[in-house]
Amino acid sequence: MQPVPMPSITSPVTLRPARESDRPALVDHHFALNVHEHAVSPNRRTDRDGGEASLVETEERIARTGGVTIVAETDGRVVGHLALTFETAPVYVRDQEKPYAYVAVLYVEPEQRGRGIAKALLSEAERIAVARGLTQLMVSVQSGNAEAERAYDRFGFRPYSADLIKPLRPAAPGTADVADDL
């Protein structure tokens, strides 16, 4: 991947593949993303180790799927990144539509938002996916994260599916386990 210069308001931004030396910034980004998402879904780890664990999980997924992390850099500092994985849809999906690219993580530091960095990262992800012969780019967004929903909508993403959750209360001590009745 060649660095992609971007027009900017202040300092130029360059996109490039992530390097090992970017790891501290990526941990910071994962930590900040967890804190941000916790405001929408209050089940996120908001400790620094949670940021590290989130990055490790993303790195493992990238390695498993042959994916890539792209960083946005300005003034020698990583200010955003996108983790792109390559996935396969379940058996019930038509064969030609099974392989797809997936935006596992997209993060831009708050003070850098509004400069087109997320759009540039998504455009680069799309370019990589098309170069691999893929016809679909997917992303998941938390319900209630209106800012992310609007950004993805502007980039051309459309609703595809919805996950629903029902909180459950643990059974009281001494009560029968439902599994015993099955």
Side-chain angles (χ1 to χ4, degrees), residues 67-156:
V68 63
T69 297
I70 308 157
V71 300
E73 182 180 61
T74 186
D75 294 329
R77 195 170 70 79
V78 174
V79 298
H81 79 280
L82 182 145
L84 184 67
T85 62
F86 302 104
E87 309 288 345
T88 303
V91 67
Y92 53 80
V93 174
R94 292 186 303 228
D95 287 344
Q96 66 271 24
E97 295 181 34
K98 280 186 181 178
Y100 63 95
Y102 183 78
V103 177
V105 177
L106 173 59
Y107 182 79
V108 176
E109 293 176 355
E111 65 276 5
Q112 298 293 326
R113 293 178 188 163
R115 295 182 61 195
I117 295 172
K119 182 178 179 181
L121 287 164
L122 287 166
S123 294
E124 181 64 7
E126 184 174 325
R127 185 196 66 75
I128 292 168
V130 168
R132 287 182 65 136
L134 301 176
T135 60
Q136 297 179 93
L137 179 61
M138 294 183 76
V139 66
S140 295
V141 70
Q142 284 183 298
S143 294
N145 189 345
E147 180 183 6
E149 288 177 9
R150 284 189 303 272
Y152 291 127
D153 182 71
R154 284 191 304 269
F155 194 75

Side-chain angles (χ1 to χ4, degrees), residues 149-177:
E149 288 177 9
R150 284 189 303 272
Y152 291 127
D153 182 71
R154 284 191 304 269
F155 194 75
F157 285 92
R158 298 296 172 254
Y160 175 70
S161 67
D163 292 330
L164 305 176
I165 190 168
K166 177 183 178 181
L168 303 175
R169 289 184 288 167
T175 61
D177 188 324

Side-chain angles (χ1 to χ4, degrees), residues 44-58:
R44 299 297 191 255
R45 287 184 59 184
T46 57
D47 60 303
R48 189 66 80 191
D49 288 343
E52 174 74 29
S54 295
L55 176 58
V56 167
E57 182 178 65
T58 299

